[in-house]
Amino acid sequence: MMKVLIIGRGGREHAIAWKTAQSALKPQLYIAPGNAGMLTITEKTGAPVHLVPIDENDTAALCTFAKEQGIDLTIVGPEAALMNGIADEFHKAGLPIFAPTQAAARIEGSKQFAKELMDKYNIPTAAYRTFEDYQEAKRYLDAKGAPIVIKYDGLAAGKGVVVAMTVEEADAALKDMLEDNHFGKGRVVMEDFLQGPEFSLLTLVNGEQVVPLVIAQDHKRAYDGDKGPNTGGMGAYSPVPVIPKEQVTWAVEHIMKSTAKALCSEGCPFCGVLYGGLMLTQDGPKVIEFNARFGDPETEVVLPKMKSDFLQTVLDLLQHKEVNPEFYDDAFLGVVLAAKGYPGKYAKSLPIRNLDQVKQNVFHMGTAKNDGQWVSNGGRVLFVVGQGKDIQSAQKDAYEGVKTIDAPDLFYREDIGWQAL
Ligand code: AMP
Ligand code: GLY
């Protein structure tokens, strides 16, 4: 029996495990550390699921575990594990892993690396400058004016970006990042403000081989009407009707394939999921950011839409076989239930009732079980996925599921999918 290890503990990993479990290869699943909600995969698919109490950042322990258990394939969710060099360690140990090396993962971990690569290989993105010194950054700001975008150069869990509509707002962000070292000592990238609908293009990559999945759209702001602070993502849907097919095809060729090729030329070929956070501007698609991993929550709608055997697809790709995954025509739309206060301060162990009455697919982002009762165990807690012949009916289905859940201390956006309706 094939043994697959999935690393991570959120909704994204739940979706990866759920989809992997349905493979014709009938795998045994190990998830480190996973969450209690993932055990429901066994009821749904029959696949054995084992939660492994090893932290996703404990690379050495994960490597030892994989060796001892004879794990056939490891799939990695969170970026921190990639930045720790988990793929490099697994390669040294001769263990198969679907994840980029530390060098390749810089495409996400360092905004400056990503920007320089895009410049060098003519991959379309906003013009930018990098600064370490507040005074210099301030001079550039005064010359450029607003709106302008300020990004902390490093991992800040999706929260290190300020889209400043005024010079004052931009200045405050520069002070925060360069003088008060809010995220630690570092650099900022200041870039031109772009406009247009955003979409996420997840591709499965091995070297120069790039396999696009269907596009999705995330909702980064916390509240309805795209108001409030940026979050890890409050909901997602696929397909994204506002983005024409030809633009996606163009982005696959000129952004995703060019980037995979560029990384090969730079001596750090990419293996794993290359995620393009793209914006369709008046001048065509441009890169807002790259991630070196599955998006969360995009994965939770993209994998349900995938008809083909996900595990087989990844195994074939690792052997450089040609793969052409198929997708369902149905639309999928998912809504995040988050703890009140997220993305700021929030409480844990908040009660969740009626979860077993939800007939829609639910991915657990941050839950635990306390005396047989589901409770929250993180900022983003649950992800309820609706399905339908179009976005409207998928939305209706998702909110029916959301409303079944009795969790007064959680909140959700009521308008997921608005750009498609
Ligand atoms: P990022 O973490 O780089 O994806 O940025 C978070 C969000 O900030 C993006 O989803 C965009 O909505 C916005 N953003 C980032 N860069 C730009 C830009 N150059 N122009 C306009 N909006 C941007
Ligand atoms: N949903 C955005 C991300 O995964 O970075």
Side-chain angles (χ1 to χ4, degrees), residues 133-387:
D133 178 65
Y134 167 72
Q135 293 301 338
E136 274 176 45
K138 178 73 168 73
R139 271 196 292 281
Y140 181 72
L141 169 63
D142 289 337
K144 267 269 168 182
I148 194 159
V149 180
I150 297 173
K151 302 186 175 185
Y152 176 75
D153 186 22
L155 291 182
K159 291 158 207 159
V161 176
V162 176
V163 180
M165 299 315 285
T166 64
V167 171
E168 291 70 35
E169 218 184 317
D171 187 34
L174 289 177
K175 279 207 180 105
D176 190 39
M177 293 180 195
L178 290 175
E179 286 206 322
D180 305 339
N181 298 324
H182 189 95
F183 300 105
K185 188 129 192 71
R187 288 181 296 241
V188 300
V189 171
M190 288 171 79
E191 63 179 47
D192 290 359
F193 174 75
L194 301 177
Q195 267 176 302
E198 290 181 60
F199 61 106
S200 307
L201 174 52
L202 278 64
T203 57
L204 309 178
V205 175
N206 189 9
E208 289 198 15
Q209 204 179 340
V210 174
V211 180
L213 305 179
V214 284
I215 62 169
Q217 192 178 60
D218 188 7
H219 298 61
K220 292 222 163 94
R221 302 300 194 104
Y223 314 128
D224 283 15
D226 289 334
K227 302 247 162 52
N230 265 315
T231 69
M234 293 298 292
Y237 64 93
S238 178
V240 188
V242 295
I243 309 296
K245 251 203 177 88
E246 316 78 72
Q247 300 286 1
V248 178
T249 308
W250 192 91
V252 169
E253 290 303 318
H254 296 94
I255 294 179
M256 308 311 291
K257 287 191 181 169
S258 299
T259 302
K261 217 169 163 181
L263 286 165
C264 290
S265 307
E266 293 296 308
C268 46
F270 193 96
C271 178
V273 177
L274 182 62
Y275 162 130
L278 310 179
M279 190 181 266
L280 181 54
T281 71
Q282 282 191 334
D283 306 323
K286 291 193 180 185
V287 177
I288 294 289
E289 66 162 352
F290 280 117
N291 290 323
R293 50 163 176 90
F294 285 96
D296 193 358
E298 289 94 328
T299 303
E300 292 96 302
V301 293
V302 168
L303 290 183
K305 198 161 160 50
M306 187 173 182
K307 193 172 182 179
S308 302
D309 190 317
F310 170 70
L311 178 56
Q312 189 64 58
T313 303
V314 170
L315 292 169
D316 288 347
L317 180 64
L318 287 175
Q319 294 184 8
H320 287 292
K321 289 186 188 156
E322 201 182 302
V323 285
N324 280 307
E326 288 178 43
F327 295 86
Y328 295 111
D329 290 331
D330 268 8
F332 292 81
L333 181 145
V335 179
V336 172
L337 285 89
K340 282 184 183 163
Y342 173 82
K345 267 205 182 122
Y346 55 83
K348 283 192 183 177
S349 296
L350 305 168
I352 303 164
R353 287 174 290 262
N354 296 349
L355 204 50
D356 49 352
Q357 286 166 38
V358 181
K359 45 180 205 339
Q360 289 74 9
N361 209 349
V362 177
F363 294 120
H364 290 237
M365 304 185 97
T367 61
K369 227 171 189 181
N370 242 349
D371 295 331
Q373 158 81 57
W374 289 108
V375 294
S376 74
N377 188 31
R380 294 190 295 177
V381 180
L382 292 166
F383 190 80
V384 180
V385 185
Q387 178 176 356

